[in-house]
């Protein structure tokens, strides 16, 4: 195509503050609409999915077996995911057995991906504070 191929990192990026609706601090938000195709869902245990800083930070906790499920509607396949987050007490995001460092891009496939809170240390109270999510998906 004219001007060369688009880079594979051609991701759609949304800040949590854009999609959370800005709830009060410590409000649990179990589902956020990323866009018309993708829904983000926090697991329902403990403090998972609490939103802080005027809706800019979505928190997930290792001690609550925190997971974030990214689901594309029928007819779409997820291709890449990138999550911007800060950690507390050595918490880290995982895709399966692989660590997903903040702002690193992971290749994924299928219409649903589960990210879980793991830990790089020995603490069991790790958490991640997600501030933005970037995705690439395609029509099947």
């Amino acid at each position: 195509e004219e001007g060369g191929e688009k880079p594979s990192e051609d991701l759609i990026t949304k800040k949590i503050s854009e999609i959370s609706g800005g709830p009060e601090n410590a409000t649990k938000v179990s589902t956020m609409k990323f866009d018309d195709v993708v829904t983000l869902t926090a697991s329902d245990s403990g403090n998972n999915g609490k939103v802080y800083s005027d809706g800019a930070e979505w928190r997930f906790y290792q001690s609550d077996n925190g997971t974030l499920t990214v689901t594309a509607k029928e007819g779409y396949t997820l291709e890449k995911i990138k999550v911007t987050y800060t950690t507390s007490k050595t918490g880290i995001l995982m895709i399966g057995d692989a660590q997903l460092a903040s702002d690193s891009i992971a290749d994924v496939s299928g219409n649903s991906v589960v990210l879980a809170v793991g830990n790089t240390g020995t603490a069991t109270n790790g958490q991640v504070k997600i501030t933005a999510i970037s995705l690439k998906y395609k029509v099947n």
Side-chain angles (χ1 to χ4, degrees), residues 43-115:
S43 54
D44 201 26
S45 51
N47 288 308
N48 277 333
K50 282 193 176 176
V51 178
Y52 291 88
S53 305
D54 296 327
E57 191 179 273
W58 203 14
R59 293 190 191 177
F60 292 81
Y61 297 83
Q62 181 193 17
S63 56
D64 293 326
N65 297 312
T67 61
L68 167 60
T69 304
V70 179
T71 308
K73 68 183 183 185
E74 204 171 320
Y76 289 84
T77 300
L78 297 166
E79 293 186 298
K80 293 185 183 293
I81 186 166
K82 179 177 95 166
V83 182
T84 303
Y85 64 91
T86 55
T87 65
S88 176
K89 304 194 172 60
T90 66
I92 192 83
L93 271 183
M94 308 285 293
I95 294 185
D97 294 332
Q99 184 172 311
L100 180 66
S102 180
D103 286 331
S104 65
I105 298 170
D107 291 315
V108 294
S109 63
N111 85 314
S112 185
V113 175
V114 178
L115 303 170

